[in-house]
Each structure stands twice: as structure tokens, then as C-alpha cells.
Amino acid sequence: MTNSTRNNPDEFFMLEALKEAEKAFKRAEVPVGCVIVKDGEIIARGFNHRENSNTVFSHAEIIAMDKACKKLDSWRLDDCEVYVTLEPCVMCAGAMIQARIKRLVYGSTEPKFGSHQSILNLFEYPFNHKIEIKSGVLAADSSRLLKRFFQELREQKTLKNNDFML
């Protein structure tokens, strides 16, 4: 742990979420990672694996929240913080509200599905639970990983298409 991450828990936990995103990347999944923290300790981890599981619910946040609920033996995660590398979609944001998450920290924005600042702000609606939100933590690192993933995916498609042209 560097001095800057030692003094900045948000960066420290986001680095852990980025490690989860790398796991997704290595499995040819969109590289999104998540950790859930309670009382300064990681209690659950998750990374995207929709492609390999063939289920829409296999988002990093949903997987991590499910693990946290099992660990705490409760559906309420009201003392927990979610660190995720990408702005949550509506499904994940709704699950966070339902689980009573205390705080959400995320990296980069998601222009196609983001539900905090990109498409809409689901968190501003008058639900009976409000989540403290911090965005942009290590956003450049998250964006770089996502861009690398999609660039490699495009290159693979180009190579595949060129094989048919021979």
C-alpha cells in the first residue's frame, strides 16, 4: 500500500475493486469490479460475468451484494459501502437502494447505462433510503481498463472478419 492509498481509504478500496475488474477482463467479460466494505474491512467481492454465466444478473455489484448478504445473514446492508469501478446501471442502483447501502463510491461514468449522472439520477428520487455517493475515484484507471478491453475486442473481431476474406 502506498502512502497515498494508506491515507485515502476510497482509493485503497477502489484499487481492490480494480483487481476484481481485472479478473473479469481475463475471462473476456466487461471489466467491472466491486468490493463491499463494512467497518473498514472488505466483506465481499464481485466481478462481471454475464457472458460466461448467461444471466443478466451477473453484474459485479449484484454478485458482491449477494455475497455480503449471505455473510451478514441479512438482506440489509445499511452499514456497508460499495466500491465499484463503473457507474451503476438502474438494476444495480435499485438493488443498492433496496439493500439500504450506506455509501456508494465509483470510478468512471457509464454513458450508455449509468444511473447516477449519465442517463438519469435514480438516487435523487424520493425513495425512503438515501445513499451517500462519491464518483470519479480512480476514474482514469477504470476508463483505461474498459478502453483496453473494448479495443482488444474490436481487434479480435477485425482479425476474425479478415480470416473470412482470405
Side-chain angles (χ1 to χ4, degrees):
M1 184 180 341
T2 67
N3 282 337
S4 66
T5 57
R6 189 176 297 122
N7 296 328
N8 187 336
D10 287 344
E11 286 187 9
F12 173 78
F13 292 122
M14 190 59 72
L15 285 171
E16 291 298 312
L18 281 162
K19 289 178 186 175
E20 294 299 308
E22 285 281 353
K23 291 177 186 177
F25 185 97
K26 290 176 183 170
R27 290 167 174 83
E29 296 279 356
V30 176
V32 178
C34 180
V35 296
I36 299 188
V37 174
K38 182 176 181 182
D39 300 326
E41 303 229 359
I42 295 173
I43 62 165
R45 296 170 178 270
F47 59 87
N48 270 4
H49 61 86
R50 281 192 314 179
E51 297 301 323
N52 290 300
S53 68
N54 287 317
T55 175
V56 69
F57 303 109
S58 292
H59 287 210
E61 302 95 308
I62 299 295
I63 292 164
M65 284 190 290
D66 187 50
K67 289 177 181 179
C69 287
K70 288 175 181 165
K71 181 168 181 84
L72 299 175
D73 197 25
S74 176
W75 63 268
R76 290 178 186 87
L77 300 175
D78 47 7
D79 292 324
C80 296
E81 299 173 290
V82 172
Y83 289 83
V84 63
T85 57
L86 187 65
E87 178 184 4
C89 70
V90 171
M91 175 180 71
C92 294
M96 288 177 204
I97 293 166
Q98 288 290 326
R100 316 294 198 269
I101 291 293
K102 174 180 157 184
R103 185 168 181 254
L104 164 65
V105 179
Y106 68 88
S108 60
T109 56
E110 210 316 359
K112 294 181 180 177
F113 295 101
S115 64
H116 174 242
Q117 58 183 314
S118 295
I119 301 295
L120 68 118
N121 185 350
L122 189 67
F123 300 100
E124 75 180 1
Y125 286 85
F127 296 108
N128 71 335
H129 179 73
K130 296 294 178 195
I131 298 174
E132 178 187 336
I133 302 171
K134 182 176 182 180
S135 62
V137 176
L138 300 181
D141 296 310
S142 179
S143 292
R144 200 169 17 259
L145 183 60
L146 285 159
K147 286 176 185 173
R148 191 174 100 218
F149 174 80
F150 287 110
Q151 180 181 358
E152 287 184 18
L153 194 63
R154 283 189 298 276
E155 288 170 2
Q156 288 172 6
K157 283 184 180 180
T158 300
L159 287 173
K160 197 175 202 180
N161 289 340
N162 285 341
D163 285 345
F164 292 114
M165 299 174 97
L166 296 176

